[in-house]
Amino acid sequence: MKPMNTDVATATIADDACYLALKARDARFDGSFFTGVTSTGIYCRPVCSVKTPKRENCRFFGHAAQAENAGFRPCLRCRPELAPNSVVWSIQDASYILAHQAARLLDEPEVWGDIAPTLVASRTALPPEGAVLARGGPSRRTAEPTVAGLAARLGVSDRHVRRIFEAQFGVSPVQYLQTRRLLTAKQLLADTNLPITQVALISGYASVRRFNAAFVEHYGLNPSQLRRQGGSDSSQGITVKLGYRPPYDVPAMLGFFSKRVINAIEFVAADANQPSLGRTLRIESGGKVHAGWLQAEFDTTRSQLVLRVSDSLREVLPLVIRRTRATFDLDADPGAINSVLHASFPGGDGLRVPGAFDGYELAVRAVLGQQITVAAARTLAQRMVDKLGEPIETPWPALTRLFPAPAVLATASGDALGQLGIVKQRQTAIVAIARAVAEKQLPLHGGADVQATITALKALPGIGDWTAQYIAMRALRWPDAFPSGDVALHKALGVQGLKNPAREAELASNAWKPWRSYAVIRAWSGTLERPG
C-alpha cells in the first residue's frame, strides 16, 4: 500500500486501498500512511477514532513530513507522533535503497556525530534530537547535521541525496528531520509536564523563540496550546506512549528477555494484564554520561507501549525513546515481513526481533554466550554485574546496579575476569570490545554501517561470524542478519546431521531475504513448517 505514487492509475488504486484501511481503522497499517483531510486541514493516522471523512476530501501520504509539507496539521486526537515508523527494506532498486538509508540515518539521533561536520556552517543545518544540553541551553559546540554530512556518510553528492530523497519521499531531508523534531516536541508536550523551555531544548531547538516560531509556522498554534491536561508528573518519571502495528506476540518478546534477565539491572513482569520490563540504563551523549531507569509496559488493547523514564534521563529522552522502539522492534511492518516468511513459519506472524537498550552491553553478553547455554551465559553475566556494576538508586528494589561501563571492562585484569569463571579467550574479546567502544571506534547502534561494523567486530580477537551476526541482528537492528553457524538454528532447520550444516542453512535462508533475522527468531521459537 504505497500512496504518493507518480503513476495516476496505480496511485488511484493505492489511495482506494488506503481509504478502505482508514474506514476499517486497521492498526496493521498504522504509520504506513497518513490521511490529510482537505475540509479540516488536519492529517490523521489510519486508526483515528473520528468520523471517517468523505473519500473526495482525503489525500494520502506515505510520511508525516509529506502531509505537513502539503499544509496539513497533525490531529490532536490520534496524534501522528505515536505511530510506528515506516521501515522499508529492499535488495533491488539502488535509488530506493539509498533514499531509505538516508531516512534511516535521519531517524537515528545517535549517528548525527558522524554526519554533522563540526567546522562547516550551513543555513539548512538542524540540531540533533539527542543533542546534549549545556547549562542554559544547547552546547554551541554540538555539531549540527547537514545535508552535506548526510551525503558524505552515504558516499554520494549532496545534490544526489537531495534528488533521490525528494523523489522518494516528496520532501527534502531538512523537511523530513524538521517534522521528526516537531512531532517529538508535540509528544513531550502532550504526555509530560516538562516545562516548554525544556521540551524545546530536548527536541533539539537552539532557543525557545525558534521553537515557538516553528510551531506557529507549521501548526498555527503556540506550544502551550498543544499542552494536554494530566501529563505525567516528571518527579515520578517521565511517561510517553509508543505505538506499534499488530500482530505482536508480547509473551514471546518478554519471554525472550525473561530467560536472559540479569538481576539488579533488569526485571520482567509477565503479568497477563500489565506485561512489562524494567531496567537501569547508561547513555553517553556529547561527552556527558546520563544514568537512570526505565519501565516499559505493554497496552495490548491500544497497540502501544507505555514508557516511563527517570528524570535523570530527560536530556537524552529522544535517544531513550529511539532505543526503546528498537529494543522492542516497535517499527516492524508485519505485513511486509509475513509476506516473505509466513509460508515457512505460519505460526510466527507476531514474532519480533528483540533488540538491546545498549549495543555495547549486548556485545559483551553475546561473547559470554559463545558455545554455552543461555542459562550458563546468564550466570556469567550476573557475576560480572555483581562484581563490577556501578550502584544506582531507583524506585524498584530489584534495580540497584548499572551494567559495567566500557572503561571498567576495558581495564579489567585477566585475574578479575577469570575469577568470574570467564575463560581467557572470552576475556580477551570482552576487553577488546570494551576498549573499542570506550575509544569511540566501534558504534553499536541502529545507525551504524552494518557491513563495516561486522568487519570491525570480526577483526577483534575472539569474535567470529556467529557473534558478529548476532550483534548485527540485535544491536545494529539489521533485519537480514543470519548466524549460519548457530547450532540451535541447525536443529530447527533440520540440517544438523549434514556434512556442512552452516552452508546448508545459508542456502535455505536465501528464500527469506531481506528478513532473515526474523526467520532466525521464528526458527528458534519452533514455528518452522517443514515440507512433507
Side-chain angles (χ1 to χ4, degrees):
M1 186 177 296
K2 295 291 178 186
M4 299 292 289
N5 196 298
T6 55
D7 181 86
V8 177
T10 304
T12 300
I13 295 172
D15 287 356
D16 288 343
C18 288
Y19 189 67
L20 290 175
L22 175 66
K23 288 202 300 182
R25 296 185 174 86
D26 195 330
R28 294 176 299 171
F29 300 104
D30 192 13
S32 297
F33 70 89
F34 295 89
T35 305
V37 183
T38 58
S39 57
T40 63
I42 300 295
Y43 74 93
C44 299
R45 299 158 63 189
V47 296
C48 191
S49 60
V50 300
K51 182 180 178 181
T52 304
K54 296 179 179 179
R55 173 66 180 84
E56 58 267 27
N57 292 337
C58 295
R59 291 180 60 189
F60 299 100
F61 303 92
H63 192 276
Q66 294 172 342
E68 294 195 4
N69 190 52
F72 293 93
R73 303 187 308 277
C75 177
L76 298 182
R77 178 172 294 186
C78 68
R79 302 177 57 197
E81 70 271 16
L82 300 185
N85 294 331
S86 181
V87 180
V88 181
W89 289 85
S90 172
I91 55 175
Q92 297 177 349
D93 188 319
S95 294
Y96 183 92
I97 294 171
L98 191 66
H100 282 275
Q101 285 178 333
R104 186 174 178 226
L105 292 174
L106 292 175
D107 289 336
E108 286 287 351
E110 296 191 73
V111 308
W112 281 113
D114 299 331
I115 57 178
T118 56
L119 300 179
V120 178
S122 170
R123 292 185 180 180
T124 60
L126 295 171
E129 288 185 335
V132 171
L133 311 179
R135 185 173 298 176
S139 170
R140 292 298 179 186
R141 299 189 178 206
T142 299
E144 295 188 348
T146 63
V147 176
L150 178 63
R153 170 65 186 270
L154 295 171
V156 297
S157 69
D158 54 351
R159 179 181 178 184
H160 184 59
V161 77
R162 284 191 185 94
R163 182 177 62 81
I164 61 101
F165 199 96
E166 291 181 12
Q168 180 63 41
F169 297 106
V171 295
S172 71
V174 171
Q175 291 169 323
Y176 183 98
L177 184 58
Q178 176 82 317
T179 297
R180 279 274 182 250
R181 293 169 59 215
L182 285 171
L183 289 179
T184 295
K186 182 176 177 297
Q187 179 173 22
L188 299 182
L189 288 168
D191 287 345
T192 77
N193 282 330
L194 292 173
I196 290 177
T197 299
Q198 290 186 354
V199 171
L201 298 176
I202 291 171
S203 300
Y205 286 88
S207 69
V208 176
R209 181 186 59 79
R210 184 179 176 186
F211 175 63
N212 288 337
F215 256 80
V216 172
E217 178 184 355
H218 285 79
Y219 298 156
L221 297 169
N222 288 316
S224 58
Q225 293 175 279
L226 286 176
R227 173 71 78 186
R228 293 165 67 95
Q229 297 298 318
S232 64
D233 181 358
S234 62
S235 66
Q236 300 299 317
I238 303 164
T239 301
V240 294
K241 300 179 180 68
L242 310 174
Y244 60 83
R245 302 177 188 93
Y248 192 120
D249 193 332
V250 173
M253 175 63 78
L254 293 183
F256 183 95
F257 286 121
S258 181
K259 291 178 181 178
R260 294 160 176 81
V261 160
I262 301 176
N263 296 327
I265 71 167
E266 55 194 350
F267 68 80
V268 172
D271 185 283
N273 296 321
Q274 294 180 312
S276 65
L277 178 148
R279 68 158 294 143
T280 60
L281 184 65
R282 177 194 295 106
I283 293 180
E284 182 177 354
S285 179
K288 182 178 178 182
V289 176
H290 307 261
W293 52 265
L294 61 84
Q295 181 191 31
E297 182 178 308
F298 281 91
D299 181 352
T300 55
T301 59
R302 295 181 175 85
S303 295
Q304 66 183 19
L305 183 144
V306 180
L307 176 65
R308 184 179 168 206
V309 182
S310 68
D311 189 63
S312 60
L313 294 172
R314 71 164 63 194
E315 289 186 7
V316 288
L317 186 56
L319 283 174
V320 177
I321 291 173
R322 185 63 183 167
R323 291 192 185 191
T324 302
R325 298 201 70 91
T327 296
F328 294 103
D329 202 10
L330 299 182
D331 294 325
D333 183 350
I337 298 166
N338 294 336
S339 68
V340 176
L341 301 183
H342 178 80
S344 297
F345 306 94
D349 286 357
L351 294 176
R352 306 290 176 100
V353 176
F357 282 102
D358 185 338
Y360 148 74
E361 176 188 322
L362 185 278
V364 172
R365 294 172 69 164
V367 170
L368 292 175
Q370 291 174 345
Q371 299 179 337
I372 59 175
T373 65
V374 171
R378 176 179 172 180
T379 297
L380 292 177
Q382 186 68 64
R383 293 172 185 169
M384 179 180 286
V385 167
D386 292 343
K387 182 71 173 179
L388 302 173
E390 178 184 348
I392 185 174
E393 292 186 5
T394 76
W396 289 278
L399 301 179
T400 58
R401 288 186 177 273
L402 293 160
F403 191 81
V408 172
L409 291 185
T411 57
S413 67
D415 287 342
L417 295 178
Q419 290 173 4
L420 304 178
I422 303 172
V423 299
K424 188 172 182 179
Q425 182 179 9
R426 293 185 192 117
Q427 293 174 20
T428 304
I430 289 170
V431 170
I433 289 173
R435 187 172 297 152
V437 171
E439 295 174 354
K440 307 296 188 294
Q441 299 299 314
L442 185 64
L444 295 172
H445 52 68
D449 184 297
V450 173
Q451 294 303 330
T453 304
I454 288 176
T455 299
L457 283 166
K458 291 167 72 171
L460 297 177
I463 305 295
D465 185 69
W466 179 90
T467 306
Q469 292 288 330
Y470 185 76
I471 293 171
M473 180 171 72
R474 295 193 55 199
L476 306 188
R477 307 307 302 149
W478 188 31
D480 204 37
F482 193 74
S484 60
D486 185 76
V487 175
L489 183 61
H490 295 167
K491 292 180 180 178
L493 300 181
V495 299
Q496 73 273 28
L498 301 180
K499 183 177 180 180
N500 191 336
R503 184 174 65 85
E504 296 298 330
E506 190 75 37
L507 289 173
S509 74
N510 288 331
W512 304 322
K513 292 182 177 182
W515 307 109
R516 293 188 298 174
S517 290
Y518 292 86
V520 171
I521 295 298
R522 297 178 189 206
W524 282 346
S525 72
T527 63
L528 175 66
E529 184 170 279
R530 298 175 186 168

